[in-house]
Amino acid sequence: MSYVKSQVVEADIIVLNNLSTFYFSETPAKLEKNSPTWMTDILPIQMERRESMNTGLRLKYHRLKKRVSLEETASGILPSRELKKIESGLKEPSLRDLEALCKKLEISLAPKENPIGQVLVKNFKTSLLHPQNKGKIMEQYADIHDHPLLFVNEDIELEYNIQQIRYFIITGDLDSAEEKLKEMERFKEFMNQEQFYLFHKYTGNYHYLLGDHESALKTYLMTEKIAPVSIANTDLADLYYSIGITANQCWEISMATKYTELALKIYQQEFVPKRIVECHLNIAITHQRSGNFKTAMDHHRNALAIGSKLEIDILRFTTEFNLGYSYLIFQNYELSIEHIENCLSFIPPEYIADSLLSYCILIKCNIELENIEKAIQWKQKGLKLIEDKNLSMSSPTNHSFKEAYIEFLCLTHFLNDEYEEFEKLVTGHLIPLLEIDNNFFEIGYYYGHLGNVYYKLKKYEKSAFILNKAREAYKNTTIIR
């Protein structure tokens, strides 16, 4: 059930405290299928890391930053094996050697006090806690980006570089985020505990944005193991929530429920209503997938009751959409129509795919109620949106958007009795996309209608085969993985 908005627009719900259009990020062609605990097997769990760099680490940091070899740095000063011992903290350099090494690396003998740099990076970090103010964040970044005081102290420079990862994620510049992640991978040994933790958390966010939920989950679980003891309750809740929604995407239902409930408990204690709503939505999804429909609807209603009081349009859209989609699944088409029509009042204009998905649900509900005239009216609204935005099959887009667009075209062909085109799109395009998301309900729905089309065309063997595939898909909607 990949259409639930608490997951689809999760790109920056995850610890970024806002909903936005990162929904349109691309999905990698291949996902790793390792155990979620694989990282603990190949990476050391360092629960306590250095508080500040010693002399050796500082020398090594600047050597790696300049991409100079150990031998080249040591040349003319001391044997390279001795420099290796110094960098490893096994011996202290003589003052004469230290002066020569620092001169070659063009650094001061000791870290400089840098209160202005500390303030700059602290203010930048604080601004990133409010990603809805993207314009202001981008202005601040432009002002400080090349400020020399961000680069004269190793810890401040590390902190700034790590926060840049988050900045690129918030602004949607995933190419720069990837480049910065690769760059900072070289400097993990120099990070203090909080920096090491944030680096992994932002790495998880990056994977989630790409739709690589398996890698995101592995990274978040690793992040939990290295969380600083001093981590704030709300930060811990954000991490639990990230694990919960990512586990749900991976159909790790028990894990999703466990971590989202942990997050919900903290958010309730700290009174963070927006997050409380999002937790209820994710828990509702886990119970739907477990077949606990009554509990699922209770959480959906809780989310709607709280969300409707917050006057946050995107949250109102999310809660109305989720509840409407759930009513579609439970075949209560009248209530589904009511909530989906409500959600359209709050949908941001740039959420084109979400508009098309909403139209698809309204069309499906009216088809089931045999209100064909009303279904056609919603079809016309969708066609106008496609025309206004100049969309086509070849439009540069991503997996999620393409799925919404193709589903709408399938329903259009179905309503027009264009059965050959309906068959081609369903089997050749829509079903493969739905299978990527394990979207068993929609797979069953479209196989069911395709089977009925075959029956109408007197292709009885094909009809029986496809209807059986529909039954298998519906069975999978409540299989816990």
Side-chain angles (χ1 to χ4, degrees):
M1 294 163 227
S2 63
Y3 290 168
V4 270
K5 297 293 106 183
S6 64
Q7 295 183 46
V8 171
V9 293
E10 181 44 35
D12 78 340
I13 296 181
I14 319 173
V15 306
L16 298 185
N17 306 311
N18 184 38
L19 291 159
S20 82
T21 57
F22 287 130
Y23 167 27
F24 303 113
S25 303
E26 292 187 3
T27 301
K30 295 181 181 179
L31 302 181
E32 295 179 83
K33 298 296 181 185
N34 298 315
S35 160
T37 58
W38 70 280
M39 292 187 78
T40 62
D41 298 329
I42 62 172
L43 291 176
I45 303 300
Q46 294 175 274
M47 291 308 298
E48 293 187 13
R49 299 172 67 85
R50 60 94 188 169
E51 291 186 6
S52 60
M53 288 190 201
N54 59 28
T55 301
L57 266 182
R58 187 166 174 265
L59 290 170
K60 185 176 182 180
Y61 173 82
H62 287 283
R63 180 176 66 77
L64 292 181
K65 180 182 171 184
K66 291 179 179 294
R67 297 182 180 274
V68 182
S69 70
L70 188 79
E71 291 73 18
E72 185 179 348
T73 305
S75 177
I77 302 174
L78 75 172
S80 57
R81 64 177 180 276
E82 293 301 306
L83 177 56
K84 187 172 183 180
K85 290 179 182 178
I86 292 169
E87 288 187 348
S88 301
L90 298 177
K91 70 174 288 187
E92 287 292 324
S94 67
L95 180 58
R96 181 179 176 181
D97 288 344
L98 179 60
E99 287 177 338
L101 289 167
C102 288
K103 184 177 180 181
K104 181 173 280 192
L105 292 171
E106 300 177 306
I107 61 174
S108 61
L109 279 174
K112 293 182 178 180
E113 291 295 321
N114 187 7
I116 295 176
Q118 285 180 326
V119 171
L120 287 173
V121 77
K122 181 180 179 181
N123 290 343
F124 181 54
K125 183 178 179 180
T126 300
S127 72
L128 296 176
L129 297 175
H130 308 283
Q132 64 272 19
N133 299 323
K134 282 186 192 174
K136 185 176 180 180
I137 290 172
M138 294 173 78
E139 287 178 12
Q140 183 180 6
Y141 180 72
D143 288 340
I144 70 169
H145 176 48
D146 294 319
H147 201 296
L149 290 178
L150 290 169
F151 305 99
V152 298
N153 176 284
E154 297 82 15
D155 271 318
I156 290 173
E157 184 176 47
L158 271 174
E159 182 72 26
Y160 175 63
N161 282 324
I162 291 169
Q163 292 305 322
Q164 276 186 300
I165 299 168
R166 191 179 199 187
Y167 169 80
F168 292 133
I169 288 173
I170 288 173
T171 56
D173 186 355
L174 297 188
D175 289 338
S176 295
E178 180 182 17
E179 185 178 330
K180 182 59 70 171
L181 281 167
K182 289 179 179 177
E183 176 190 337
M184 296 312 295
E185 185 74 25
R186 299 170 52 232
F187 297 98
K188 286 196 299 186
E189 67 176 293
F190 307 102
M191 297 174 187
N192 62 32
Q193 192 66 38
E194 182 181 357
Q195 291 166 349
F196 194 57
Y197 164 78
L198 290 175
F199 173 77
H200 283 86
K201 186 167 75 168
Y202 299 160
T203 301
N205 293 352
Y206 170 77
H207 285 308
Y208 193 102
L209 283 173
L210 289 182
D212 188 351
H213 301 123
E214 294 283 347
S215 294
L217 182 58
K218 296 166 190 173
T219 308
Y220 285 139
L221 291 170
M222 173 68 176
T223 305
E224 182 192 16
K225 294 179 182 296
I226 59 177
V229 177
S230 59
I231 185 173
N233 278 345
T234 51
D235 287 341
L236 187 61
D238 282 341
L239 178 59
Y240 288 157
Y241 176 67
S242 299
I243 295 173
I245 61 103
T246 311
N248 212 345
Q249 291 282 24
C250 297
W251 283 74
E252 297 282 353
I253 303 304
S254 297
M255 185 187 298
T257 303
K258 170 189 170 183
Y259 278 96
T260 312
E261 287 179 346
L262 286 171
L264 177 60
K265 185 175 181 180
I266 296 174
Y267 289 135
Q268 287 171 333
Q269 290 171 346
E270 301 290 331
F271 190 65
V272 187
K274 179 177 178 290
R275 287 295 200 186
I276 291 171
V277 171
E278 291 159 355
C279 285
H280 278 301
L281 289 174
N282 200 51
I283 293 171
I285 296 162
T286 64
H287 283 293
Q288 278 178 201
R289 289 178 168 176
S290 304
N292 302 323
F293 301 126
K294 183 181 182 303
T295 305
M297 293 308 292
D298 287 342
H299 282 282
H300 275 307
R301 293 188 188 100
N302 285 338
L304 181 62
I306 300 168
S308 62
K309 298 175 182 177
L310 298 181
E311 297 186 359
I312 303 173
D313 280 355
I314 188 61
L315 203 59
R316 290 179 173 182
F317 161 69
T318 303
T319 52
E320 291 280 7
F321 184 100
N322 275 287
L323 191 52
Y325 189 72
S326 295
Y327 278 126
L328 168 68
I329 293 171
F330 303 146
Q331 300 181 350
N332 192 331
Y333 303 117
E334 290 88 352
L335 280 176
S336 179
I337 290 171
E338 177 185 332
H339 288 285
I340 297 300
E341 287 183 348
N342 286 345
C343 87
L344 289 172
S345 303
F346 305 111
I347 189 168
E350 67 270 19
Y351 277 39
I352 301 169
D354 293 297
S355 295
L356 285 177
L357 287 176
S358 300
Y359 294 152
C360 287
I361 294 173
L362 291 167
I363 290 169
K364 286 184 282 192
C365 286
N366 281 292
I367 287 174
E368 298 304 319
L369 293 171
E370 299 183 357
N371 296 331
I372 303 303
E373 186 176 335
K374 191 66 177 176
I376 291 172
Q377 289 177 14
W378 288 112
K379 179 195 75 173
Q380 296 301 330
K381 284 182 178 289
L383 290 173
K384 186 176 187 309
L385 177 62
I386 288 170
E387 181 182 354
D388 290 345
K389 300 297 182 180
N390 196 28
L391 302 176
S392 68
M393 288 281 283
S394 59
S395 296
T397 184
N398 59 31
H399 166 83
S400 299
F401 187 93
K402 187 174 292 185
E403 184 179 314
Y405 179 70
I406 290 174
E407 181 183 7
F408 181 80
L409 292 185
C410 288
L411 290 169
T412 298
H413 289 312
F414 184 79
L415 286 171
N416 293 343
D417 293 335
E418 297 165 348
Y419 296 139
E420 185 175 344
E421 290 84 352
F422 175 74
E423 176 191 16
K424 287 180 181 177
L425 266 184
V426 168
T427 58
H429 295 277
L430 183 59
I431 295 296
L433 289 172
L434 295 172
E435 287 175 340
I436 291 173
D437 295 330
N438 290 327
N439 197 334
F440 301 112
F441 174 79
E442 297 295 339
I443 292 170
Y445 180 88
Y446 282 98
Y447 270 146
H449 277 289
L450 183 59
N452 291 334
V453 165
Y454 284 144
Y455 188 85
K456 185 182 291 187
L457 298 176
K458 299 183 179 179
K459 299 179 180 180
Y460 301 121
E461 283 190 23
K462 274 191 170 183
S463 176
F465 176 74
I466 292 296
L467 289 174
N468 187 58
K469 289 177 78 72
R471 282 191 291 271
E472 289 300 314
Y474 282 130
K475 283 182 183 178
N476 284 330
T477 59
T478 56
I479 292 177
I480 299 177
R481 289 165 171 74

